[in-house]
């Protein structure tokens, strides 16, 4: 376990890792200290609670929660911290629609910033976490600006057959 992290990526099952690795990879590409854990709102509630407290003590500033189906993980995480919690709905037996609705329909008072279902959501959760961190870290703002320019240049260079 790392002493200091800025972003924690929690997923409800190891089966979510194939998608959530894109969040971890994006954070690492930007040099943002992160750690990934499998913890479940339903199956390991006490361990999740303990992790939320421990990660905050180790400096975690943004939490990402990914789950599928009855996807309560990010909401429960948000209930345990006042730090920003971003949610990534995983594809499911119902194509992720159940995950999305479970995650996005939070009661007023406990927000979860919910991203897209699947890989796009995983990447964007990381980029949004970086944007939040960049508010007080100019070096990350520079990296984000360079990322956007590179992305735009790639699109503008596209050639059709
Ligand atoms: C959720 O149930 C997990 O986040 C995962 O997306 C889904 C299925 O979990 P497994 O049955 O693969 O462990 O809690």
């Amino acid at each position: 376990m790392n002493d200091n992290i800025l972003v924690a990526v929690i997923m409800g099952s190891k089966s979510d890792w194939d998608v959530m690795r894109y969040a971890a990879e994006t954070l690492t590409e930007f040099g943002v200290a992160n750690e990934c854990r499998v913890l479940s709102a339903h199956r390991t509630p006490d361990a999740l609670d303990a992790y939320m407290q421990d990660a905050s003590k180790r400096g975690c500033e943004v939490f990402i929660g990914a789950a599928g189906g009855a996807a309560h993980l990010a909401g429960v995480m948000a209930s345990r911290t006042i730090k920003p919690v971003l949610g990534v709905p995983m594809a499911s037996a119902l194509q992720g629609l159940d995950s999305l609705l479970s995650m996005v329909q939070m009661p007023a008072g406990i927000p979860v910033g919910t991203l897209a279902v699947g890989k796009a959501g995983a990447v964007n959760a990381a980029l949004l976490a970086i944007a939040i961190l960049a508010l007080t870290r100019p070096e990350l703002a520079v990296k984000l600006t360079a990322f956007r320019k590179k992305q735009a240049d790639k699109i503008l260079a596209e050639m059709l057959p």
Side-chain angles (χ1 to χ4, degrees):
M1 197 173 278
N2 300 330
D3 282 344
N4 296 104
I5 53 165
L6 286 175
V7 180
V9 181
I10 310 301
M11 59 212 81
S13 171
K14 189 177 178 186
S15 64
D16 300 323
W17 175 242
D18 277 352
V19 171
M20 291 313 295
R21 69 188 175 86
Y22 292 104
E25 284 172 14
T26 302
L27 291 164
T28 300
E29 275 168 26
F30 277 80
V32 172
N34 66 89
E35 74 180 11
C36 302
R37 288 281 180 280
V38 177
L39 290 164
S40 166
H42 304 127
R43 296 180 277 199
T44 66
D46 292 340
L48 175 62
D49 197 26
Y51 181 85
M52 293 301 293
Q53 293 181 39
D54 179 63
S56 284
K57 282 185 197 146
R58 289 186 290 125
C60 184
E61 293 186 23
V62 184
F63 290 88
I64 296 173
H72 301 135
L73 178 61
V76 171
M77 289 165 64
S79 77
R80 309 310 281 168
T81 183
I82 60 166
K83 291 174 178 165
V85 175
L86 308 177
V88 185
M90 296 289 96
S92 64
L94 303 180
Q95 283 74 51
L97 187 58
D98 47 350
S99 322
L100 173 64
L101 296 179
S102 303
M103 201 170 275
V104 79
Q105 288 292 75
M106 289 295 292
I110 304 292
V112 170
T114 304
L115 285 301
V117 176
K119 180 181 173 184
V123 171
N124 281 345
L127 290 173
L128 192 50
I130 293 162
I132 292 167
L133 297 170
L135 292 171
T136 54
R137 291 174 178 81
E139 72 280 7
L140 280 181
V142 168
K143 286 183 187 176
L144 266 180
T145 303
F147 170 86
R148 289 284 183 95
K149 181 176 185 320
K150 192 173 161 193
Q151 184 172 246
D153 289 347
K154 183 168 177 264
I155 297 294
L156 293 171
E158 298 286 9
M159 303 290 283
L160 296 175

